[in-house]
Amino acid sequence: MMKTMKRLEQLYEGKAKIIYATEDPNLVIQYFKDDASAFNGIKKGTIVDKGVINNHVSNVIFKYLEDNGVRTHLVEELNDRETVVKHLEIIPVEVVLRNVVAGSLAKRMGLKEGTEMKAPILEFYYKDDDLGDPMINEYHIKEFGLATAEEIEFLREQGFKVNELLFEFFKQRNIRLVDFKIEFGRHKGEILLGDEISPDGCRFWHWETGEKMDKDRFRFNLGQVEEKYQEVYQLICGPA
Ligand code: TMP
């Protein structure tokens, strides 16, 4: 029944996805594009079939998280690029989890990328493109009304739980989960995990070779962008 769910008007277009309304106001369709952007939109490009890969990869991960007690927006995959999800009121706070030093943390702390850490780090960023998603803490979140103290506590708890589950999930698939970003939203009095979990918003290093298999290949022109996204797809979703 669901597989025939019709797409109605476009509600929102982001850098990598389009959100469409459906006949049910509680449900929307996430359409995954091949468009890639980095450095807050300064670098733009296309990663061929990224939308298909991210849609499938994200759905496998969300299903695994659901099976392990994390409530998510996932309803049903419609086709290669479209998935029905619960309509969320997105909380404008990006939750970043880190297991290994990389990216902006390496820069901020003056540390070498790949530096091991004793325990995971959780960070909050204000989801605002015009401001370049600045880092914030719980005082900013409370003061400026982005989320309540209770919600912040839930985001933190869920963030660490998702990290623990995913670190093991990826390890079993020969991938080192270096860091990632997740987003949450409100739906009928509940907070659900939303957006996507894919090579666009995670750092994945091959467990043995250390090779980067994520959007850093696009960001820093490392080449083999499509190949590495495909490799992640194979490791997560099995042979095509
Ligand atoms: P960072 O090292 O640039 O702060 O990013 C940490 C991780 O979170 C990395 O896997 C990319 C992801 N991320 C996003 O996808 N979007 C964002 O807006 C931010 C701040 C991080």
Side-chain angles (χ1 to χ4, degrees), residues 85-133:
V85 297
K86 289 177 181 155
H87 194 178
L88 305 185
E89 178 202 337
I90 289 289
I91 297 172
V93 174
E94 300 186 338
V95 182
V96 168
L97 274 299
R98 302 179 182 274
N99 298 302
V100 181
V101 174
S104 70
L105 177 62
K107 214 169 169 184
R108 188 177 317 115
M109 299 301 293
L111 291 168
K112 214 171 138 261
E113 192 168 78
T115 302
E116 300 276 354
M117 305 195 305
K118 289 188 285 296
I121 288 178
L122 181 145
E123 297 167 349
F124 294 122
Y125 291 84
Y126 180 29
K127 185 175 160 64
D128 187 311
D129 282 343
D130 294 341
L131 300 176
D133 299 335

Side-chain angles (χ1 to χ4, degrees), residues 145-206:
L146 308 181
T148 65
E150 197 191 343
E151 287 176 329
I152 295 167
E153 199 39 53
F154 186 75
L155 298 188
R156 203 194 325 265
E157 181 210 303
Q158 291 286 293
F160 282 117
K161 179 173 179 174
V162 167
N163 184 48
E164 222 170 277
L165 287 166
L166 290 188
F167 191 83
E168 276 313 306
F169 176 90
F170 284 106
K171 187 177 180 185
Q172 283 165 20
R173 288 157 181 80
N174 237 349
I175 293 171
R176 194 166 179 210
L177 179 61
V178 171
D179 56 34
F180 62 98
K181 181 264 294 179
I182 47 180
E183 295 181 23
F184 295 86
R186 306 177 184 101
H187 181 84
K188 295 184 177 176
E190 253 192 306
I191 295 182
L192 307 177
L193 182 66
D195 192 48
E196 65 178 283
I197 298 181
S198 71
D200 269 15
C202 302
R203 286 197 173 89
F204 296 141
W205 295 354
H206 192 280

Side-chain angles (χ1 to χ4, degrees), residues 7 29-31 55 77-84:
R7 206 163 98 170
I29 291 173
Q30 267 194 338
Y31 176 92
N55 184 35
E77 186 171 282
L78 286 181
N79 54 51
D80 272 355
R81 287 183 187 270
E82 292 178 314
T83 295
V84 181

